Coordinates of all heavy atoms in Angstrom, one line a residue:
M1 N -24.6 9.6 -27.4 CA -23.1 9.5 -27.4 C -22.8 10.3 -26.1 O -22.0 9.7 -25.4 CB -22.5 10.4 -28.6 CG -21.1 10.4 -28.7 SD -20.6 8.8 -29.0 CE -19.3 9.1 -30.1
H2 N -23.4 11.4 -25.8 CA -23.1 12.1 -24.4 C -23.4 11.1 -23.3 O -22.6 10.9 -22.3 CB -24.0 13.4 -24.3 CG -23.8 13.9 -23.0 ND1 -24.7 13.6 -21.8 CD2 -22.9 14.8 -22.5 CE1 -24.2 14.4 -20.9 NE2 -23.1 15.1 -21.2
D3 N -24.5 10.4 -23.2 CA -24.9 9.6 -22.1 C -23.9 8.3 -22.0 O -23.4 7.9 -21.0 CB -26.3 8.9 -22.3 CG -27.4 10.1 -22.1 OD1 -27.0 11.1 -21.6 OD2 -28.5 9.7 -22.5
A4 N -23.5 7.8 -23.2 CA -22.4 6.7 -23.1 C -21.1 7.2 -22.7 O -20.4 6.5 -22.0 CB -22.3 6.1 -24.6
G5 N -20.8 8.5 -23.0 CA -19.6 9.0 -22.5 C -19.5 9.2 -21.0 O -18.5 8.9 -20.3
V6 N -20.6 9.7 -20.5 CA -20.9 10.0 -19.1 C -20.7 8.6 -18.4 O -20.1 8.4 -17.2 CB -22.2 10.7 -18.7 CG1 -22.4 10.7 -17.4 CG2 -22.0 12.1 -19.3
E7 N -21.4 7.6 -18.9 CA -21.3 6.2 -18.2 C -20.0 5.7 -18.2 O -19.6 5.1 -17.3 CB -22.4 5.4 -18.9 CG -22.5 3.9 -18.4 CD -22.9 3.8 -17.1 OE1 -23.7 4.7 -16.6 OE2 -22.6 2.8 -16.5
L8 N -19.3 5.8 -19.3 CA -17.8 5.2 -19.4 C -17.1 6.0 -18.5 O -16.3 5.4 -17.7 CB -17.3 5.4 -20.8 CG -15.9 5.1 -21.0 CD1 -15.8 3.5 -20.7 CD2 -15.5 5.3 -22.5
F9 N -17.3 7.3 -18.3 CA -16.4 8.0 -17.4 C -16.6 7.7 -15.9 O -15.8 7.4 -15.1 CB -16.7 9.6 -17.6 CG -16.0 10.6 -16.6 CD1 -14.7 10.9 -16.9 CD2 -16.5 10.9 -15.4 CE1 -13.9 11.6 -16.1 CE2 -15.8 11.8 -14.6 CZ -14.5 12.1 -14.9
N10 N -17.9 7.4 -15.6 CA -18.3 7.0 -14.3 C -17.7 5.7 -13.9 O -17.4 5.5 -12.8 CB -19.9 7.1 -13.9 CG -20.3 8.5 -13.9 OD1 -19.6 9.4 -13.5 ND2 -21.6 8.6 -14.3
R11 N -17.8 4.8 -15.0 CA -17.1 3.5 -14.8 C -15.6 3.6 -14.6 O -15.0 2.9 -13.7 CB -17.4 2.7 -15.9 CG -18.8 2.2 -16.1 CD -19.2 1.3 -17.1 NE -20.6 1.0 -17.2 CZ -21.0 -0.3 -17.8 NH1 -20.2 -1.0 -18.4 NH2 -22.4 -0.3 -17.8
F12 N -15.0 4.4 -15.2 CA -13.5 4.7 -15.1 C -13.2 5.2 -13.6 O -12.3 4.8 -12.9 CB -13.1 5.6 -16.0 CG -11.6 5.9 -16.0 CD1 -10.6 5.1 -16.5 CD2 -11.2 7.2 -15.5 CE1 -9.3 5.3 -16.6 CE2 -9.8 7.4 -15.4 CZ -8.8 6.5 -15.9
V13 N -14.1 6.1 -13.2 CA -14.0 6.6 -11.9 C -14.1 5.5 -10.8 O -13.3 5.5 -9.8 CB -15.0 7.8 -11.5 CG1 -15.1 8.1 -9.9 CG2 -14.6 8.9 -12.4
K14 N -15.1 4.6 -10.9 CA -15.3 3.6 -10.1 C -14.0 2.6 -10.0 O -13.6 2.3 -8.9 CB -16.6 2.7 -10.5 CG -16.8 1.5 -9.5 CD -17.1 2.1 -8.1 CE -17.4 0.8 -7.3 NZ -17.6 1.3 -5.8
V15 N -13.4 2.4 -11.1 CA -12.2 1.4 -11.2 C -11.1 2.3 -10.4 O -10.4 1.6 -9.7 CB -11.9 1.1 -12.6 CG1 -10.5 0.5 -12.7 CG2 -12.9 0.3 -13.3
M16 N -10.9 3.5 -10.7 CA -9.9 4.3 -9.9 C -10.1 4.3 -8.4 O -9.2 4.2 -7.8 CB -9.7 5.8 -10.6 CG -9.5 5.7 -12.0 SD -7.9 4.9 -12.3 CE -6.8 5.9 -11.5
E17 N -11.4 4.3 -7.9 CA -11.8 4.3 -6.6 C -11.4 2.9 -6.0 O -10.8 2.7 -5.0 CB -13.3 4.4 -6.3 CG -13.7 5.9 -6.5 CD -15.3 6.0 -6.5 OE1 -15.9 5.0 -6.5 OE2 -15.6 7.2 -6.5
L18 N -11.6 1.7 -6.8 CA -11.2 0.4 -6.4 C -9.7 0.3 -6.2 O -9.1 -0.3 -5.3 CB -11.7 -0.6 -7.2 CG -13.3 -0.8 -7.3 CD1 -13.7 -1.6 -8.4 CD2 -13.7 -1.3 -6.0
F19 N -9.0 1.0 -7.2 CA -7.4 1.1 -7.2 C -7.0 1.7 -5.9 O -6.0 1.3 -5.2 CB -6.9 1.7 -8.4 CG -6.5 0.6 -9.5 CD1 -7.1 0.7 -10.7 CD2 -5.6 -0.4 -9.2 CE1 -7.0 -0.1 -11.7 CE2 -5.4 -1.1 -10.3 CZ -5.9 -1.1 -11.5
A20 N -7.7 2.9 -5.6 CA -7.3 3.6 -4.3 C -7.5 2.7 -3.2 O -6.7 2.7 -2.2 CB -8.2 4.9 -4.2
E21 N -8.6 2.0 -3.1 CA -8.9 1.1 -1.8 C -7.9 0.0 -1.9 O -7.3 -0.3 -0.7 CB -10.3 0.5 -2.0 CG -11.4 1.3 -1.8 CD -12.7 0.8 -2.1 OE1 -12.7 -0.5 -1.9 OE2 -13.8 1.5 -2.3
L22 N -7.5 -0.6 -2.9 CA -6.4 -1.6 -3.0 C -5.1 -1.0 -2.5 O -4.4 -1.7 -1.8 CB -6.3 -2.1 -4.4 CG -5.3 -3.2 -4.7 CD1 -5.6 -4.4 -3.9 CD2 -5.2 -3.5 -6.2
G23 N -4.7 0.2 -2.9 CA -3.5 0.8 -2.5 C -3.5 1.0 -1.0 O -2.5 0.8 -0.3
S24 N -4.7 1.4 -0.4 CA -4.8 1.6 1.1 C -4.6 0.2 1.7 O -3.9 0.3 2.8 CB -6.2 2.2 1.4 OG -6.3 3.5 0.9
G25 N -5.2 -0.7 1.2 CA -5.1 -2.2 1.7 C -3.6 -2.7 1.8 O -3.1 -3.1 2.7
L26 N -3.0 -2.3 0.7 CA -1.5 -2.7 0.5 C -0.7 -1.9 1.5 O 0.2 -2.5 2.2 CB -1.1 -2.4 -0.9 CG 0.3 -2.7 -1.2 CD1 0.7 -4.2 -1.0 CD2 0.7 -2.3 -2.6
A27 N -1.0 -0.7 1.7 CA -0.2 0.2 2.8 C -0.4 -0.4 4.1 O 0.5 -0.5 4.8 CB -0.6 1.6 2.6
R28 N -1.6 -0.8 4.5 CA -2.0 -1.3 5.9 C -1.3 -2.7 5.9 O -0.6 -3.0 7.0 CB -3.4 -1.6 6.0 CG -4.2 -0.2 6.3 CD -5.7 -0.5 6.8 NE -6.4 -1.2 5.8 CZ -7.1 -0.7 4.8 NH1 -7.0 0.6 4.5 NH2 -7.7 -1.5 4.0
T29 N -1.2 -3.5 5.0 CA -0.5 -4.8 4.9 C 1.0 -4.6 5.2 O 1.6 -5.2 6.0 CB -0.7 -5.5 3.7 OG1 -2.2 -5.7 3.4 CG2 0.0 -6.9 3.6
V30 N 1.6 -3.5 4.4 CA 3.1 -3.3 4.6 C 3.2 -2.8 6.1 O 4.3 -3.2 6.7 CB 3.5 -2.3 3.7 CG1 4.9 -1.7 3.9 CG2 3.6 -2.9 2.2
E31 N 2.4 -2.0 6.6 CA 2.6 -1.4 8.0 C 2.5 -2.7 9.0 O 3.3 -2.6 9.9 CB 1.5 -0.5 8.3 CG 1.5 0.8 7.7 CD 0.3 1.8 7.9 OE1 -0.5 1.4 8.8 OE2 0.3 2.8 7.2
K32 N 1.5 -3.6 8.8 CA 1.6 -4.7 9.7 C 2.8 -5.6 9.6 O 3.3 -6.1 10.6 CB 0.2 -5.6 9.3 CG -1.1 -4.9 9.7 CD -1.2 -4.7 11.1 CE -2.6 -4.2 11.3 NZ -3.0 -3.9 12.8
Y33 N 3.3 -5.9 8.3 CA 4.5 -6.6 8.2 C 5.6 -6.0 8.8 O 6.4 -6.6 9.6 CB 4.8 -6.8 6.6 CG 6.0 -7.5 6.3 CD1 6.1 -8.8 6.2 CD2 7.3 -6.7 6.3 CE1 7.3 -9.5 5.8 CE2 8.4 -7.4 6.0 CZ 8.3 -8.8 5.9 OH 9.6 -9.5 5.6
N34 N 5.8 -4.7 8.8 CA 6.9 -3.9 9.3 C 6.7 -4.1 10.8 O 7.8 -4.2 11.7 CB 6.9 -2.5 9.0 CG 7.4 -2.5 7.5 OD1 8.0 -3.3 6.9 ND2 7.2 -1.2 6.9
A35 N 5.6 -4.0 11.4 CA 5.3 -4.2 12.9 C 5.8 -5.6 13.3 O 6.4 -5.6 14.4 CB 3.9 -4.0 13.3
V36 N 5.6 -6.5 12.6 CA 6.0 -7.8 12.9 C 7.6 -7.9 12.9 O 8.2 -8.4 13.7 CB 5.4 -9.0 12.0 CG1 6.1 -10.3 12.2 CG2 3.9 -9.0 12.3
V37 N 8.2 -7.4 11.8 CA 9.7 -7.3 11.8 C 10.2 -6.5 12.9 O 11.2 -7.1 13.6 CB 10.0 -6.8 10.4 CG1 11.6 -6.4 10.4 CG2 9.8 -7.6 9.3
R38 N 9.7 -5.5 13.4 CA 10.3 -4.7 14.5 C 10.0 -5.4 15.7 O 10.9 -5.6 16.6 CB 9.4 -3.4 14.6 CG 9.9 -2.3 13.6 CD 9.2 -0.9 14.0 NE 7.8 -0.9 13.9 CZ 7.2 -0.6 12.6 NH1 7.9 -0.4 11.7 NH2 6.0 -0.5 12.6
S39 N 8.9 -6.3 15.8 CA 8.8 -7.1 17.1 C 9.8 -8.4 17.1 O 10.3 -8.6 18.1 CB 7.3 -7.7 17.0 OG 7.1 -8.6 18.2
I40 N 10.0 -8.9 16.0 CA 11.1 -9.8 15.9 C 12.4 -9.3 16.2 O 13.1 -9.9 17.0 CB 11.2 -10.4 14.5 CG1 10.0 -11.4 14.1 CG2 12.4 -11.2 14.2 CD1 9.7 -11.8 12.7
D41 N 12.7 -8.1 15.7 CA 14.1 -7.6 16.1 C 14.2 -7.2 17.4 O 15.2 -7.3 18.1 CB 14.3 -6.1 15.3 CG 14.5 -6.4 13.8 OD1 14.8 -7.5 13.4 OD2 14.5 -5.5 13.0
S42 N 13.1 -6.8 18.2 CA 13.3 -6.2 19.5 C 13.0 -7.4 20.6 O 13.6 -7.3 21.6 CB 12.4 -4.9 19.8 OG 11.0 -5.4 19.7
R43 N 12.1 -8.3 20.2 CA 11.7 -9.3 21.3 C 12.1 -10.6 21.0 O 12.7 -11.3 21.9 CB 10.1 -9.2 21.4 CG 9.6 -7.8 21.7 CD 8.1 -7.9 21.8 NE 7.5 -8.8 22.6 CZ 7.3 -8.7 24.0 NH1 7.8 -7.6 24.5 NH2 6.7 -9.6 24.6
L44 N 12.1 -11.2 19.8 CA 12.4 -12.5 19.4 C 13.8 -12.7 19.2 O 14.5 -13.7 19.7 CB 11.4 -13.0 18.4 CG 11.5 -14.5 18.0 CD1 11.0 -15.3 19.1 CD2 10.6 -14.7 16.7
W45 N 14.3 -11.8 18.3 CA 15.7 -12.0 17.9 C 16.7 -12.2 19.1 O 17.6 -13.1 19.0 CB 16.0 -10.9 16.9 CG 17.3 -11.2 16.1 CD1 18.6 -11.1 16.4 CD2 17.4 -11.8 14.9 NE1 19.4 -11.4 15.3 CE2 18.6 -12.0 14.4 CE3 16.2 -12.4 14.1 CZ2 19.1 -12.6 13.3 CZ3 16.7 -13.0 12.9 CH2 17.9 -13.1 12.5
P46 N 16.8 -11.2 20.0 CA 17.7 -11.4 21.1 C 17.6 -12.6 21.8 O 18.6 -13.3 22.2 CB 17.2 -10.3 22.0 CG 16.5 -9.2 21.1 CD 15.9 -10.1 20.1
K47 N 16.4 -13.2 22.0 CA 16.3 -14.5 22.6 C 16.9 -15.7 21.8 O 17.5 -16.6 22.2 CB 14.9 -14.9 23.1 CG 14.4 -14.1 24.3 CD 15.3 -14.6 25.5 CE 14.9 -13.7 26.7 NZ 15.7 -14.0 27.9
G48 N 16.7 -15.5 20.4 CA 17.2 -16.5 19.4 C 18.7 -16.4 19.4 O 19.4 -17.6 19.5
E49 N 19.3 -15.3 19.7 CA 20.7 -15.2 19.7 C 21.4 -15.8 21.0 O 22.4 -16.4 21.0 CB 21.2 -13.7 19.6 CG 21.0 -13.2 18.2 CD 21.4 -11.7 18.1 OE1 21.2 -10.9 19.0 OE2 21.7 -11.3 16.9
E50 N 20.5 -15.6 22.0 CA 20.9 -16.1 23.3 C 20.9 -17.7 23.1 O 21.9 -18.4 23.6 CB 19.9 -15.6 24.5 CG 20.3 -16.0 25.8 CD 19.5 -15.5 26.9 OE1 18.8 -14.5 26.6 OE2 19.2 -16.3 27.9
L51 N 19.8 -18.2 22.7 CA 19.8 -19.6 22.5 C 21.0 -20.2 21.6 O 21.4 -21.4 21.8 CB 18.4 -20.1 22.0 CG 17.3 -19.9 23.0 CD1 15.9 -20.2 22.2 CD2 17.4 -20.8 24.1
Q52 N 21.2 -19.5 20.5 CA 22.2 -19.8 19.7 C 23.5 -19.9 20.4 O 24.3 -20.9 20.1 CB 22.4 -18.9 18.5 CG 23.4 -19.2 17.4 CD 23.5 -18.0 16.4 OE1 23.1 -16.9 16.6 NE2 23.9 -18.5 15.3
R53 N 23.9 -18.9 21.2 CA 25.0 -18.9 21.9 C 25.2 -20.0 22.9 O 26.2 -20.8 23.1 CB 25.4 -17.6 22.7 CG 25.9 -16.5 21.8 CD 26.2 -15.1 22.6 NE 25.0 -14.6 23.6 CZ 24.1 -13.9 23.3 NH1 24.0 -13.5 22.0 NH2 23.1 -13.5 24.0
M54 N 24.0 -20.4 23.6 CA 23.9 -21.4 24.6 C 24.2 -22.9 23.8 O 24.9 -23.7 24.5 CB 22.7 -21.4 25.2 CG 22.7 -20.2 26.3 SD 21.0 -19.8 27.0 CE 20.4 -21.5 27.5
S55 N 23.5 -23.0 22.6 CA 23.7 -24.2 22.1 C 24.9 -24.5 21.3 O 25.5 -25.6 21.2 CB 22.5 -24.4 20.9 OG 22.8 -23.5 19.8
G56 N 25.7 -23.5 20.9 CA 27.0 -23.5 20.3 C 26.9 -24.3 19.0 O 27.8 -24.8 18.5
S57 N 25.7 -24.2 18.3 CA 25.5 -24.9 17.0 C 26.4 -24.3 15.8 O 26.7 -25.0 15.0 CB 24.0 -25.0 16.7 OG 23.6 -23.7 16.4
G58 N 26.6 -23.1 16.0 CA 27.3 -22.3 14.9 C 26.5 -21.9 13.7 O 26.8 -21.3 12.8
K59 N 25.2 -22.3 13.8 CA 24.1 -21.9 12.7 C 23.9 -20.5 12.8 O 23.7 -20.0 14.0 CB 23.0 -22.8 12.7 CG 23.3 -24.2 12.3 CD 21.9 -25.0 12.2 CE 22.2 -26.4 11.8 NZ 20.9 -27.2 11.7
E60 N 23.7 -19.7 11.8 CA 23.3 -18.2 11.8 C 21.8 -18.3 11.6 O 21.1 -19.0 11.0 CB 24.0 -17.7 10.7 CG 25.5 -17.5 10.8 CD 25.9 -16.6 11.9 OE1 25.2 -15.6 12.1 OE2 26.9 -17.0 12.6
L61 N 21.3 -17.2 12.3 CA 19.8 -17.0 12.2 C 19.6 -16.2 10.8 O 20.4 -15.2 10.6 CB 19.3 -16.2 13.4 CG 19.4 -16.8 14.8 CD1 19.0 -15.8 15.8 CD2 18.5 -18.0 14.8
A62 N 18.5 -16.5 10.1 CA 18.2 -15.8 8.9 C 17.7 -14.5 9.2 O 17.2 -14.3 10.2 CB 17.3 -16.6 8.0
S63 N 17.9 -13.5 8.4 CA 17.4 -12.1 8.7 C 16.2 -11.8 7.8 O 16.0 -12.3 6.7 CB 18.5 -11.1 8.6 OG 18.9 -11.0 7.3
L64 N 15.3 -10.9 8.3 CA 14.2 -10.4 7.6 C 14.4 -9.0 7.4 O 15.0 -8.1 8.3 CB 12.9 -10.5 8.3 CG 12.4 -11.9 8.5 CD1 11.1 -11.8 9.4 CD2 12.1 -12.5 7.2
E65 N 14.2 -8.4 6.1 CA 14.3 -7.0 5.8 C 13.0 -6.2 6.0 O 12.0 -6.8 5.6 CB 14.8 -6.9 4.4 CG 16.2 -7.5 4.2 CD 17.4 -6.8 4.9 OE1 17.3 -5.6 5.1 OE2 18.3 -7.7 5.4
Q66 N 13.1 -5.2 6.4 CA 11.8 -4.3 6.6 C 11.5 -3.8 5.2 O 12.3 -3.4 4.4 CB 12.1 -3.0 7.6 CG 10.9 -2.3 7.8 CD 11.0 -1.4 8.9 OE1 12.1 -1.3 9.6 NE2 10.0 -0.5 9.3
I67 N 10.3 -3.9 4.9 CA 9.7 -3.3 3.6 C 9.3 -1.9 3.8 O 8.6 -1.5 4.6 CB 8.5 -4.2 3.1 CG1 8.9 -5.6 3.0 CG2 7.9 -3.7 2.0 CD1 7.8 -6.6 2.6
E68 N 9.8 -1.1 2.9 CA 9.3 0.3 2.8 C 8.7 0.5 1.3 O 9.4 0.4 0.4 CB 10.4 1.2 2.8 CG 11.2 1.2 4.2 CD 10.2 1.7 5.4 OE1 9.4 2.5 5.2 OE2 10.5 1.3 6.6
A69 N 7.4 0.5 1.3 CA 6.6 0.6 0.1 C 5.5 1.7 0.1 O 4.8 1.8 1.1 CB 6.0 -0.8 -0.3
V70 N 5.4 2.4 -0.9 CA 4.5 3.4 -1.0 C 3.7 3.2 -2.3 O 4.3 3.3 -3.5 CB 5.0 4.7 -1.0 CG1 4.0 5.9 -1.2 CG2 5.7 4.9 0.3
P71 N 2.3 2.9 -2.3 CA 1.7 2.9 -3.5 C 1.7 4.1 -4.3 O 1.6 5.2 -3.9 CB 0.2 2.5 -3.0 CG 0.3 2.1 -1.7 CD 1.5 2.7 -1.1
L72 N 1.9 4.0 -5.6 CA 1.9 5.1 -6.4 C 0.5 5.8 -6.7 O -0.5 5.0 -6.6 CB 2.3 4.8 -7.8 CG 3.8 4.3 -7.9 CD1 4.3 3.8 -9.4 CD2 4.8 5.3 -7.3
E73 N 0.5 7.1 -6.9 CA -0.8 7.8 -7.1 C -0.7 8.5 -8.5 O 0.5 9.0 -8.8 CB -1.0 8.7 -6.1 CG -2.2 9.4 -6.0 CD -2.4 10.4 -4.7 OE1 -2.2 10.0 -3.6 OE2 -2.8 11.6 -5.0
S74 N -1.6 8.4 -9.3 CA -1.5 9.0 -10.5 C -1.2 10.6 -10.4 O -1.7 11.2 -9.6 CB -3.0 9.0 -11.3 OG -3.0 9.8 -12.5
S75 N -0.3 11.0 -11.3 CA 0.3 12.4 -11.1 C -0.4 13.2 -12.0 O -0.2 14.4 -12.1 CB 1.8 12.4 -11.6 OG 1.9 11.9 -12.8
R76 N -1.4 12.6 -12.7 CA -2.1 13.5 -13.8 C -3.5 14.0 -13.4 O -3.8 15.1 -13.3 CB -2.2 12.7 -15.1 CG -0.8 12.2 -15.6 CD -0.4 13.4 -16.5 NE 0.9 12.9 -17.0 CZ 1.7 13.6 -17.8 NH1 1.4 15.0 -18.0 NH2 2.9 13.2 -18.2
L77 N -4.3 12.9 -12.9 CA -5.7 13.1 -12.7 C -6.3 12.8 -11.4 O -5.8 11.7 -11.0 CB -6.5 12.7 -13.9 CG -6.2 13.0 -15.3 CD1 -6.9 12.2 -16.3 CD2 -6.6 14.5 -15.5
R78 N -7.2 13.5 -10.9 CA -8.0 13.0 -9.9 C -9.4 13.2 -10.3 O -9.9 14.3 -10.7 CB -8.0 13.8 -8.5 CG -8.9 13.4 -7.6 CD -8.7 14.0 -6.1 NE -8.5 15.4 -6.3 CZ -7.6 16.2 -5.6 NH1 -6.8 15.6 -4.8 NH2 -7.5 17.4 -5.8
L79 N -10.3 12.1 -10.5 CA -11.6 12.1 -11.3 C -12.7 12.0 -10.2 O -12.3 11.3 -9.3 CB -11.6 10.9 -12.2 CG -10.4 10.8 -13.3 CD1 -10.6 9.6 -14.1 CD2 -10.6 12.0 -14.2
T80 N -13.7 12.8 -10.4 CA -14.8 12.7 -9.7 C -16.1 12.1 -10.4 O -16.2 12.5 -11.5 CB -15.0 14.0 -9.0 OG1 -15.2 15.0 -9.9 CG2 -13.9 14.4 -7.9
M81 N -17.0 11.6 -9.6 CA -18.3 11.2 -10.4 C -18.9 12.3 -10.9 O -19.0 13.4 -10.4 CB -19.1 10.5 -9.3 CG -18.6 9.2 -8.9 SD -18.5 7.9 -10.1 CE -20.1 7.4 -10.4
Q82 N -19.7 12.1 -12.0 CA -20.2 13.2 -12.8 C -21.7 12.9 -13.0 O -22.0 11.7 -13.1 CB -19.5 13.4 -14.1 CG -18.2 13.7 -14.2 CD -17.9 15.1 -13.5 OE1 -18.6 16.1 -13.7 NE2 -16.8 15.2 -12.6
G83 N -22.5 13.8 -13.0 CA -23.9 13.6 -13.4 C -24.1 14.0 -14.8 O -23.3 13.5 -15.7
E84 N -25.1 14.6 -15.2 CA -25.4 14.9 -16.6 C -24.5 16.1 -17.2 O -24.4 16.3 -18.4 CB -26.9 15.3 -16.7 CG -27.8 14.1 -16.4 CD -27.6 12.9 -17.5 OE1 -27.5 13.2 -18.6 OE2 -27.5 11.7 -17.1
G85 N -23.9 16.9 -16.2 CA -23.1 17.9 -16.8 C -21.8 17.6 -17.3 O -21.5 16.4 -17.4
P86 N -21.0 18.6 -17.8 CA -19.7 18.2 -18.3 C -18.7 17.8 -17.3 O -19.0 18.2 -16.0 CB -19.3 19.5 -18.9 CG -20.0 20.6 -18.3 CD -21.4 20.0 -17.8
A87 N -17.8 16.9 -17.6 CA -16.9 16.4 -16.6 C -15.9 17.4 -16.2 O -15.4 18.3 -17.1 CB -16.2 15.1 -17.4
D88 N -15.5 17.3 -15.0 CA -14.4 18.2 -14.4 C -13.1 17.4 -14.3 O -13.2 16.2 -13.7 CB -14.7 18.8 -13.1 CG -15.9 19.8 -13.1 OD1 -16.1 20.4 -14.1 OD2 -16.7 19.8 -12.2
V89 N -11.9 17.9 -14.7 CA -10.8 17.2 -14.6 C -9.9 18.2 -13.6 O -9.7 19.4 -14.0 CB -10.0 17.1 -15.9 CG1 -8.6 16.4 -15.7 CG2 -10.8 16.1 -17.0
V90 N -9.5 17.6 -12.5 CA -8.8 18.3 -11.4 C -7.4 17.8 -11.3 O -7.2 16.7 -11.2 CB -9.6 18.2 -10.0 CG1 -8.9 18.9 -9.0 CG2 -10.9 18.6 -10.3
Q91 N -6.4 18.7 -11.3 CA -5.0 18.4 -11.2 C -4.9 17.9 -9.6 O -5.4 18.5 -8.9 CB -4.1 19.5 -11.5 CG -4.1 19.8 -13.1 CD -3.4 18.8 -13.8 OE1 -2.7 18.1 -13.4 NE2 -3.9 18.6 -14.9
F92 N -4.0 16.9 -9.4 CA -3.5 16.5 -8.2 C -2.8 17.6 -7.4 O -1.9 18.3 -8.1 CB -2.7 15.2 -8.2 CG -3.3 14.0 -8.2 CD1 -3.3 13.1 -9.4 CD2 -4.1 13.6 -7.2 CE1 -3.9 12.0 -9.4 CE2 -4.8 12.4 -7.1 CZ -4.8 11.6 -8.2
E93 N -3.1 17.8 -6.1 CA -2.3 18.7 -5.4 C -1.3 17.9 -4.8 O -1.4 16.8 -4.2 CB -3.2 19.4 -4.2 CG -4.3 20.2 -4.9 CD -5.3 20.8 -3.8 OE1 -4.8 20.8 -2.6 OE2 -6.4 21.0 -4.2
K94 N 0.0 18.5 -4.8 CA 1.1 17.8 -4.0 C 1.5 18.4 -2.7 O 1.2 19.5 -2.5 CB 2.4 17.8 -5.0 CG 2.0 17.0 -6.2 CD 3.3 16.6 -6.9 CE 2.9 15.8 -8.1 NZ 3.8 14.8 -8.5

């Protein structure tokens, strides 16, 4: 029973590590998206407005909103891999 419990715990820790990697990847993706939006705002948009005025078409340019997203972190537990000894449960530091 002990060995099965340790194995289950270690598998749970691995899944949590994968979630952490996924969250980091998501954060990097949002950072890249926001960089593109900033580039559009500062470099592309002004030229688009200039072309719009020159063409006199009356069509409006669509806007993009900047994304501000932070992946959630468990507020209860930070789990670490365990060997044969008893499991340690460590509270998150804020």
Side-chain angles (χ1 to χ4, degrees):
M1 185 69 137
H2 174 267
D3 292 345
V6 169
E7 179 65 24
L8 178 61
F9 180 81
N10 287 335
R11 289 179 183 205
F12 182 76
V13 169
K14 181 62 178 173
V15 168
M16 297 308 290
E17 290 171 351
L18 293 172
F19 268 119
E21 289 176 25
L22 180 63
S24 296
L26 179 59
R28 283 190 303 277
T29 299
V30 169
E31 288 173 12
K32 296 290 185 183
Y33 177 87
N34 288 343
V36 170
V37 169
R38 284 190 292 275
S39 179
I40 288 170
D41 284 351
S42 64
R43 300 175 56 83
L44 189 59
W45 199 269
K47 287 297 177 184
E49 289 176 329
E50 183 180 328
L51 289 172
Q52 180 187 26
R53 283 190 302 276
M54 289 170 40
S55 72
S57 69
K59 291 184 177 181
E60 293 293 320
L61 295 171
S63 63
L64 292 175
E65 298 297 322
Q66 188 167 353
I67 294 176
E68 297 294 335
V70 178
L72 296 177
E73 189 174 308
S74 173
S75 62
R76 302 270 181 192
L77 300 174
R78 177 175 47 224
L79 303 173
T80 57
M81 292 295 285
Q82 300 295 317
E84 293 296 314
D88 293 327
V89 178
V90 180
Q91 292 292 330
F92 274 112
E93 295 176 25
K94 293 198 180 209

